[in-house]
Amino acid sequence: MAHVGEIQVDEDDGENNMAAWLLGIKTLKIQPYHLPPLGPHDVKVGIKALGICGSDVHHFKTMRCANFIVKKPMVIGHECAGIIEEVGSEVKSLAVGDRVALEPGISCQRCNLCRDGRYNLCPEMKFFGSPPTNGSLANKVVHPANLCFKLPENVSLEEGAMCEPLSVGVHACRRAEVGPETNVLIMGAGPIGLVTLLAARAFGSPRIVIVDVDDCRLSIAKNLGADEIVQVSTNIQDMGEEVAKIQNAMASKIDVSFDCVGFNKTMSTALNATGTGGKVCLIGLAQSEMTIPLTMAAVREVDVIGIFRYRNTWPLCIEFLRTGKIDVKPLITHRFGFSQKGIEDAFQTSAAGGNAIKVMFNL
């Protein structure tokens, strides 16, 4: 692990740009962050709102998230929005003072996946706060203009930052082809389960059942518009009766299930509960390997769909927010300022779970 003092700061950097650096397990420190020069197609953005994601908490607690390992000091964070402070010479679409939501991943735009439009799967993706790429919990960042999306007047910067988690739900609903005739089951009422609920409703789903172990999260889901909630245990032995309970709660065929957790039990429950010919979409990645009843699902032609992040979702998310078709504001439960104490308290609050859904920084 590189020592703190080894972070390079250019003495000529006139602006004192500060950022939250992850230096070790549960060790965050606000320190100078020297930005790359502004390219012709880039903008400099003053970050004003940033939400903490589950992946940020994994990095904070363990210095890794799945196969992404933090090997040197890294600026954390990626769910963000801010105000344009400077534009590159070739940028025509944005102007200084514009309020924007930032899509955090920069793809290569040259590989076959990028050229095919599936740029979220690009092997060369540089994604804010995913090692080794620095994130955006900073006063300012430099980012490609085409990944900065202008916010309408009636959409706040906090709501702009919420476009990132909301994008996961939107991409999942697109992949699973959710529409006005799709009855949806959601496993997990954490932040991603809840944005998937909001997205599925916006896509027209007439009936949504959400399942969790935590009654507090389930009551939030009910307030956000879930038609039915089902509390389950963590014990795999209870699965048979829980599947029956879930199917009774839906009271008709379950067309699409979203597993927003990713455990053996949640995926097995989703596969068993989903109606014949339906779909199960795996969003949560709690376990890298699972033991699941795939054969019985396969002979019922239940399709299993994977998703990774999102693609081309920001314009639709912003439109859902502008029209009021989706309201993300109730998801923001805690707010902190950008100070040493603020970042420490915010990450402890988010890591503790409890009644925290989305923890937001106001910079």
Side-chain angles (χ1 to χ4, degrees):
M1 175 66 62
H3 186 262
V4 177
E6 288 168 31
I7 296 169
Q8 293 301 307
V9 182
D10 193 327
E11 295 306 320
D12 297 330
D13 192 14
E15 299 175 71
N16 203 4
N17 184 40
M18 305 300 277
W21 290 86
L22 180 63
L23 304 176
I25 286 177
K26 294 189 177 172
T27 311
L28 284 166
K29 199 150 189 208
I30 293 186
Q31 298 194 143
Y33 175 29
H34 179 53
L35 293 174
L38 194 72
H41 298 282
D42 295 335
V43 290
K44 186 181 281 184
V45 183
I47 299 296
K48 299 296 174 193
L50 183 140
I52 299 178
C53 169
S55 65
D56 297 324
V57 173
H58 275 290
H59 288 134
F60 172 68
K61 281 163 67 166
T62 65
M63 294 292 280
R64 66 180 298 158
C65 186
N67 296 330
F68 296 97
I69 301 162
V70 183
K71 293 176 179 162
K72 64 181 206 296
M74 178 185 82
V75 177
I76 204 162
H78 62 271
E79 303 181 355
C80 60
I83 298 172
I84 303 281
E85 295 190 357
E86 200 181 329
V87 298
S89 57
E90 298 294 316
V91 175
K92 306 281 186 278
S93 56
L94 295 167
V96 171
D98 282 349
R99 299 154 63 256
V100 291
L102 283 68
E103 180 173 348
I106 306 172
S107 59
C108 79
Q109 300 181 7
R110 290 184 301 276
C111 70
N112 286 341
L113 287 160
C114 282
R115 290 168 62 171
D116 201 28
R118 304 184 74 176
Y119 67 85
N120 57 311
L121 305 174
C122 174
E124 303 294 315
M125 178 72 80
K126 292 179 173 62
F127 191 94
F128 275 157
S130 187
T133 308
N134 282 322
S136 54
L137 182 46
N139 299 128
K140 305 166 201 292
V141 298
V142 168
H143 206 52
N146 68 329
L147 295 173
C148 298
F149 297 85
K150 197 169 170 178
L151 294 172
E153 278 180 18
N154 68 335
V155 176
S156 71
L157 287 157
E158 284 192 341
E159 291 172 282
M162 288 296 293
C163 285
E164 199 280 344
L166 181 57
S167 284
V168 176
V170 165
H171 181 54
C173 287
R174 277 181 178 164
R175 287 268 290 149
E177 299 175 313
V178 171
E181 296 178 305
T182 316
N183 294 320
V184 169
L185 167 65
I186 297 172
M187 305 298 298
I192 293 298
L194 296 174
V195 292
T196 303
L197 161 67
L198 296 176
R201 188 65 89 208
F203 272 69
S205 172
R207 191 159 177 83
I208 303 171
V209 173
I210 194 159
V211 175
D212 202 284
V213 295
D214 186 298
D215 55 353
C216 167
R217 298 215 151 176
L218 286 171
S219 66
I220 293 164
K222 193 86 175 100
N223 291 338
L224 284 172
D227 294 289
E228 294 289 342
I229 52 175
V230 178
Q231 190 167 12
V232 293
S233 75
T234 53
N235 187 348
I236 197 109
Q237 258 60 59
D238 299 334
M239 190 171 64
E241 61 190 76
E242 286 170 358
V243 165
K245 217 156 92 176
I246 291 163
Q247 288 172 328
N248 287 340
M250 185 63 82
S252 57
K253 183 188 158 203
I254 296 168
D255 300 300
V256 171
S257 295
F258 294 103
D259 182 357
C260 302
V261 186
F263 283 130
N264 282 329
K265 190 186 174 199
T266 52
M267 194 61 182
S268 299
T269 303
L271 286 165
N272 288 333
T274 302
T276 298
K279 297 173 189 169
V280 176
C281 180
L282 178 58
I283 304 176
L285 307 170
Q287 289 176 276
S288 57
E289 292 188 9
M290 290 191 215
T291 306
I292 51 171
L294 202 51
T295 312
M296 287 313 295
V299 296
R300 295 193 300 115
E301 292 197 1
V302 172
D303 295 345
V304 177
I305 300 168
I307 75 150
F308 186 59
R309 295 176 179 152
Y310 35 68
R311 56 177 174 262
N312 302 313
T313 48
W314 260 253
L316 182 56
C317 289
I318 290 168
E319 187 61 8
F320 280 150
L321 296 173
R322 183 188 72 80
T323 57
K325 220 172 172 190
I326 288 180
D327 181 10
V328 288
K329 294 190 288 294
L331 297 178
I332 305 166
T333 52
H334 296 74
R335 291 174 174 84
F336 292 89
F338 184 58
S339 63
Q340 187 59 40
K341 183 176 178 354
I343 62 171
E344 287 169 5
D345 290 352
F347 270 85
Q348 274 156 11
T349 302
S350 192
N355 64 346
I357 303 173
K358 185 56 64 179
V359 175
M360 185 72 67
F361 288 104
N362 296 123
L363 286 83

